[in-house]
Amino acid sequence: MDLSTFNKENYERIKAVESSFGASGRPLSKPGRVLIGRGRLMKQGRRKPQPKVFFLFNDVLVYGSIIVNGRWYKKMKIIPLEDIQMEDMEDGMEMKNQWLIRTPCKSFFVSATSVEEKQAWIEHIEDSRSSLLQGGSCRPGSSFAVTWIPDQAAHKCMRCFKNFTPTKRRHHCRKCGFLVCRSCSKHRSVIEHIHPSKKLRVCRVCNTRNKIEEKSRLRGDSTGLESLEDERVAASSEEEDAQGITEDFPQSSWLDSCTGTWGDEHIYDYPIPMHLRP
C-alpha cells in the first residue's frame, strides 16, 4: 500500500473511532498517529468486571464503555503509552487471561478471551510503547496509582476491622487502595501523580505516613520512616462466590505492519453517528 492511500485509510479509521463515541468523545486525529488495533476486553470494576472497548494507537491507549456492541461507546479514556506499565497476572476467580495495566492516575486489571489474545495485546502495547520512547520525544512514567481492591473482596474495614453495613459504607484509600470505612478515611491529601493539586481521600495509616515522610524531607533524612510501626493488615478472606465471565467476544483486530492493511474485515464501517444525523 502506498503512503498516501495508507494515510487516507488511517485517517478514516481514526475518524470512525471518534464518531463511535458520539458527542461526548474527544478529537483523536493528529499528525503521525496510527491506529494499531481494537478489541473488547473485560475490565475489573469496583464491583464486578465490565466489558470495555479498547483502541490501541502508536502513542495512546483509548477505551470506553459499550452502549451498542461494535457501534456506540461512551466515557472515553485516553492514556499516553509512556505512562503505562504492565504486569502479567495469574487467572483470578472472576477473570481469566488477565493482566495489570498501571497508569499514574488509575491502575486496573483487564482480561482477554484467550491466552493468545492476551499475549497479542501485551506485545502490541509494549512494542508501540518502546517505539514511542525510542523517538526521544517523551519519557516513561515513574509513579503509578495503586490498584483498588474490589468491593466484594472484603466485608470488614481493612484498618479498624469493623463490618461494613448499609450505613457503614466502603470507601477506597487513593494511596494504598485498601477498602476502608468513613471513620478511617476522613483525611485528604494531595497525591501528585494522580492530581497535582486536588486533595484525595486517604486512610489514617497513609495519612500518618505522609506526615512522617514530609517531616523527613524537611529534615533531609529518612529516619522518620523507620519509626513508623509496620501495620500489617490483611484483607478479609471472605469472598462471595462468583461465576466466571463466559461472554464470547470477537477476536481483536490488528493492523498488518507489513502491508499496512486491516484485511477484509471492514470493522470500521460505522453508520452515521446519531448526533450527526439530519
Side-chain angles (χ1 to χ4, degrees):
M1 179 182 293
D2 64 83
L3 184 59
S4 60
T5 302
F6 173 80
N7 287 337
K8 179 182 178 182
E9 292 191 1
N10 178 66
Y11 175 80
E12 291 174 350
R13 295 186 187 110
I14 294 177
K15 294 301 291 185
V17 176
E18 286 183 14
S19 298
S20 69
F21 281 92
S24 63
R26 283 175 281 170
L28 291 172
S29 298
K30 61 175 292 186
R33 176 167 288 168
V34 177
L35 182 60
I36 303 296
R38 79 180 294 273
R40 278 175 284 178
L41 302 172
M42 297 301 295
K43 175 180 175 292
Q44 177 65 60
R46 177 168 179 170
R47 292 180 175 83
K48 62 180 180 179
Q50 296 283 349
K52 303 286 184 181
V53 62
F54 281 79
F55 300 94
L56 175 63
F57 297 84
N58 61 333
D59 61 337
V60 294
L61 180 66
V62 175
Y63 72 92
S65 300
I66 299 172
I67 301 178
V68 179
N69 284 344
R71 292 180 183 272
W72 311 118
Y73 313 113
K74 64 178 181 178
K75 297 181 179 179
M76 179 193 287
K77 305 292 184 183
I78 303 176
I79 309 172
L81 291 187
E82 67 267 23
D83 288 339
I84 286 179
Q85 183 184 77
M86 294 188 297
E87 182 178 350
D88 197 356
M89 306 294 293
E90 295 290 335
D91 287 350
M93 291 182 62
E94 293 187 278
M95 299 206 305
K96 310 297 183 183
N97 311 310
Q98 67 176 344
W99 71 100
L100 175 62
I101 296 179
R102 294 190 181 95
T103 78
C105 296
K106 188 175 185 179
S107 298
F108 51 90
F109 293 96
V110 292
S111 70
T113 56
S114 66
V115 175
E116 293 75 19
E117 188 171 14
K118 166 186 171 178
Q119 292 303 321
W121 271 99
I122 292 176
E123 289 173 5
H124 278 92
I125 293 174
E126 288 183 340
D127 289 346
S128 299
R129 183 176 183 274
S130 296
S131 297
L132 180 67
L133 293 175
Q134 287 174 2
S137 59
C138 54
R139 300 178 62 182
S142 58
S143 298
F144 301 94
V146 297
T147 308
W148 285 12
I149 294 176
D151 283 7
Q152 68 272 20
H155 297 281
K156 297 180 180 180
C157 172
M158 300 174 72
R159 293 305 184 194
C160 69
F161 301 107
K162 293 180 180 179
N163 288 329
F164 291 120
T165 67
T167 57
K168 194 178 185 67
R169 298 174 55 195
R170 292 169 170 83
H171 299 278
H172 279 94
C173 172
R174 272 54 170 177
K175 184 82 169 179
C176 65
F178 276 20
L179 281 163
V180 290
C181 66
R182 182 180 179 184
S183 297
C184 291
S185 58
K186 293 180 178 180
H187 304 285
R188 300 293 184 270
S189 180
V190 173
I191 305 174
E192 291 184 356
H193 60 270
I194 297 179
H195 195 283
S197 59
K198 184 179 180 180
K199 291 190 175 183
L200 306 173
R201 182 188 298 271
V202 295
C203 69
R204 55 182 175 81
V205 173
C206 288
N207 183 64
T208 301
R209 288 173 176 161
N210 286 343
K211 290 180 178 179
I212 293 176
E213 289 174 357
E214 181 62 26
K215 290 180 180 178
S216 298
R217 282 194 293 269
L218 293 175
R219 288 199 304 265
D221 60 41
S222 59
T223 55
L225 292 175
E226 299 173 358
S227 66
L228 179 63
E229 180 181 358
D230 182 26
E231 181 173 336
R232 298 185 178 184
V233 181
S236 170
S237 60
E238 298 176 287
E239 290 187 357
E240 298 176 2
D241 292 335
Q243 298 295 323
I245 302 298
T246 57
E247 185 174 358
D248 291 330
F249 284 168
Q251 289 282 59
S252 300
S253 303
W254 304 100
L255 175 70
D256 188 320
S257 59
C258 296
T259 64
T261 63
W262 284 79
D264 299 323
E265 296 182 64
H266 301 294
I267 58 172
Y268 292 98
D269 187 19
Y270 289 99
I272 299 175
M274 294 179 182
H275 71 291
L276 296 180
R277 294 180 182 179

